[in-house]
């Protein structure tokens, strides 16, 4: 997990994480922070193991840590956050030792993490999408009734 720990200490990762924190300081709903990123990574690992996919752990963690790193740009500039995150992530990944093929797979997964067409995919894209959606603790949310997610999408039970 050396490369993942390098991401955690990378200046661009931390600058954008802080920008997310500032942009969401008054947000009542789910936040795009380290708790969310690690929930997505760990659920992604569970899915990977349960489905026998054999996706390397560092790819799952890399995608999970970076998939929402550009969320602040959505608030500030109206850029969809998957696109903003995909613009920020390559430099971080390269500087943390990820090969071009690995970087490409992670960026592809980041770009697809809001596209429900990837749900059945048995690859990093499908795992990131499913883990991201499964990570939301709607069952314990104090503002769940005000959330814009439709009831059929809300996590009312614990699965992972």
């Amino acid at each position: 997990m050396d490369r993942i720990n390098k991401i955690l200490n990378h200046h661009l990762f931390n600058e954008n994480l802080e920008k997310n924190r500032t942009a969401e300081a008054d947000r009542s709903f789910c936040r795009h922070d380290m708790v969310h990123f690690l929930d997505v990574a760990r659920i992604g690992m569970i899915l990977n193991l349960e489905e026998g996919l054999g996706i390397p752990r560092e790819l799952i963690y890399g995608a999970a840590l970076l998939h929402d790193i550009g969320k602040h740009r959505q608030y500030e500039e109206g850029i969809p956050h998957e696109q903003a995150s995909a613009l920020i992530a390559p430099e971080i990944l390269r500087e943390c030792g990820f090969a071009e093929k690995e970087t490409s797979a992670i960026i592809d997964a980041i770009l697809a993490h809001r596209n429900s067409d990837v749900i059945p995919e048995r690859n990093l894209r499908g795992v990131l999408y499913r883990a991201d959606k499964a990570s939301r603790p709607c069952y314990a949310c104090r503002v769940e009734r005000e959330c814009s997610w439709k009831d059929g999408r809300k996590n009312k039970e614990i699965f992972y």
Side-chain angles (χ1 to χ4, degrees):
M1 295 281 281
D2 288 342
R3 297 183 295 175
I4 298 309
N5 288 310
K6 286 180 182 178
I7 291 173
L8 293 177
N9 292 301
H10 195 279
H11 70 95
L12 283 178
F13 177 77
N14 284 295
E15 287 170 17
N16 284 282
L17 186 62
E18 182 58 34
K19 288 178 182 179
N20 279 358
R21 188 176 300 122
T22 300
E24 295 184 336
D26 297 325
R27 182 178 165 93
S28 300
F29 302 106
C30 297
R31 294 182 182 200
H32 302 84
D33 57 12
M34 280 303 298
V35 172
H36 172 60
F37 297 167
L38 290 174
D39 284 348
V40 172
R42 291 171 178 148
I43 291 170
M45 281 304 301
I46 292 168
L47 294 170
N48 185 40
L49 293 169
E50 285 184 349
E51 297 174 16
L53 301 177
I55 300 168
R57 179 171 55 172
E58 285 190 323
L59 293 186
I60 291 172
Y61 271 80
L65 289 175
L66 296 169
H67 80 285
D68 286 339
I69 199 65
K71 184 68 175 182
H72 63 92
R73 291 191 66 190
Q74 184 169 319
Y75 300 129
E76 297 160 357
E77 304 166 46
I79 297 171
H81 74 269
E82 68 276 15
Q83 292 174 22
S85 298
L87 292 171
I88 296 165
E91 181 178 347
I92 296 170
L93 291 165
R94 277 192 301 277
E95 291 180 6
C96 292
F98 286 82
E100 193 58 41
K101 186 176 179 181
E102 294 171 313
T103 297
S104 180
I106 290 170
I107 298 307
D108 188 39
I110 290 170
L111 286 169
H113 88 270
R114 297 179 68 201
N115 178 356
S116 62
D117 291 344
V118 305
I119 291 171
E121 292 184 15
R122 295 175 49 80
N123 56 27
L124 184 59
R125 289 164 30 122
V127 166
L128 183 63
Y129 180 94
R130 294 190 310 275
D132 183 43
K133 302 315 171 258
S135 73
R136 302 303 185 170
C138 305
Y139 50 82
C141 180
R142 67 188 190 322
V143 292
E144 176 265 329
R145 290 185 180 169
E146 297 148 34
C147 179
S148 63
W149 271 28
K150 294 178 182 168
D151 278 338
R153 292 183 65 206
K154 292 180 181 178
N155 298 319
K156 300 290 191 154
E157 299 175 341
I158 296 173
F159 296 100
Y160 301 101

